[in-house]
Amino acid sequence: MEISSANKDEPATMTDTPDSHTHADNGIQALSLLVETNQKIHQRTLDFTQMLAMHLHYYLPGTRTSHLKDVSDWINSTEYQAHKKGDIKYYQNKSGNTIYWVAGDAGTGKSIMSAKLIEIHYNQSLVGWHFCDHSNPLQNSSIAIMESVSGIMASKLPEYKTAILDLDTKKLEEAKAGGDSMEVFRLLFIQPLNSMAPPTDKNGNECRKFIVIDAIDEINNEDLVDFLKIILDGTSQLP
């Protein structure tokens, strides 16, 4: 399971249907990111359709093609490295190879890249997404982010949807009430993902999946350290 993580340069809103959504300002057709969820397990899955349309509105065709190709190659490649292209740095995890980290100054197009990656890979390897926003608690706290991403994954990944049914909801509620982000991560991701069969592509071949998380610098200060620990340490326990 891969996670693509990027900072954010523009503002933003909120869980499998590739329906189209018309952006009112310019008529651009964008994917609907609204998904159906099991409300007994996923009560707060966010719909980012409007945010996706907003960021795609600012994408200029033919730009950032090398960056987008780098991420696509990373998803399907066994070779990983750290490098820099222009004004955006890429930090790729050499050991577990679970993280592709994009960093850059405000206004360099990171959120637009995230939106474009979602559009490109929606019907392929993508199984989850989240756009953080410092002004919305549902978008800037580690537990809320994990809850929403888990709901989206359940709609995109049938194997995970089945595995998550064995979730101990009492333990999950206790972990949430106690603010134990790592335990929430264990219950929602580590445990079910390690218990299920590997995901496959349309031809039945095992394949890697990835999640896009945009603007982690917008996570509130109290949760940011915990969330970074989850990304750097918790993801090493994923299959």
Side-chain angles (χ1 to χ4, degrees):
M1 181 68 61
E2 281 84 25
I3 294 183
S4 175
S5 176
N7 293 340
K8 171 177 179 240
D9 47 90
E10 287 145 359
T13 18
M14 288 210 63
T15 34
D16 156 32
T17 26
D19 299 331
S20 64
H21 171 86
T22 301
H23 190 260
D25 293 337
N26 59 10
I28 287 180
Q29 295 292 320
L31 290 173
S32 169
L33 298 185
L34 178 67
V35 302
E36 296 183 5
T37 59
N38 182 340
Q39 288 298 306
K40 292 182 179 179
I41 300 175
H42 301 110
Q43 301 175 3
R44 292 189 287 187
T45 303
L46 308 183
D47 177 15
F48 288 103
T49 299
Q50 293 183 4
M51 185 177 293
L52 179 73
M54 180 189 73
H55 289 310
L56 289 177
H57 168 73
Y58 294 106
Y59 177 73
L60 298 177
T63 62
R64 298 296 186 193
T65 54
S66 62
H67 300 306
L68 293 168
K69 182 179 183 300
D70 282 345
V71 179
S72 297
D73 289 346
W74 170 77
I75 294 167
N76 301 302
S77 173
T78 57
E79 297 181 3
Y80 310 87
Q81 56 186 341
H83 60 275
K84 177 178 180 180
K85 284 192 174 182
D87 50 10
I88 293 184
K89 295 179 181 178
Y90 297 87
Y91 302 94
Q92 300 175 40
N93 188 318
K94 294 181 180 180
S95 53
N97 190 30
T98 55
I99 301 170
Y100 193 111
W101 192 288
V102 180
D105 293 335
T108 53
K110 300 178 300 298
S111 292
I112 296 171
M113 270 186 60
S114 294
K116 195 63 181 176
L117 285 168
I118 291 171
E119 182 185 57
I120 292 171
H121 293 281
Y122 183 86
N123 288 316
Q124 301 177 46
S125 302
L126 180 72
V127 294
W129 50 83
H130 189 89
F131 290 84
C132 303
D133 185 338
H134 69 88
S135 65
N136 187 345
L138 292 179
Q139 292 175 247
N140 69 16
S141 69
S142 57
I143 290 177
I145 293 169
M146 287 187 284
E147 283 190 278
S148 185
V149 170
S150 177
I152 294 169
M153 282 181 57
S155 75
K156 293 284 290 179
L157 200 57
E159 301 92 341
Y160 177 76
K161 182 178 182 179
T162 300
I164 202 72
L165 292 176
D166 294 329
L167 174 71
D168 188 327
T169 55
K170 182 178 180 180
K171 285 186 177 180
L172 177 62
E173 290 305 315
E174 290 174 350
K176 287 163 55 179
D180 190 341
S181 298
M182 187 59 78
E183 177 64 4
V184 171
F185 184 76
R186 186 187 71 81
L187 292 168
L188 288 180
F189 298 100
I190 296 174
Q191 189 169 288
L193 287 172
N194 280 288
S195 69
M196 69 184 221
T200 58
D201 59 23
K202 295 179 180 179
N203 297 318
N205 300 314
E206 290 186 14
C207 61
R208 293 203 297 269
K209 302 294 184 179
F210 79 108
I211 301 165
V212 173
I213 301 178
D214 183 76
I216 63 172
D217 58 330
E218 298 263 338
I219 296 175
N220 72 65
N221 292 335
E222 295 180 359
D223 284 349
L224 183 56
V225 172
D226 285 343
F227 194 75
L228 290 174
K229 287 181 179 178
I230 288 171
I231 290 178
L232 297 176
D233 298 330
T235 55
S236 65
Q237 301 177 56
L238 297 178

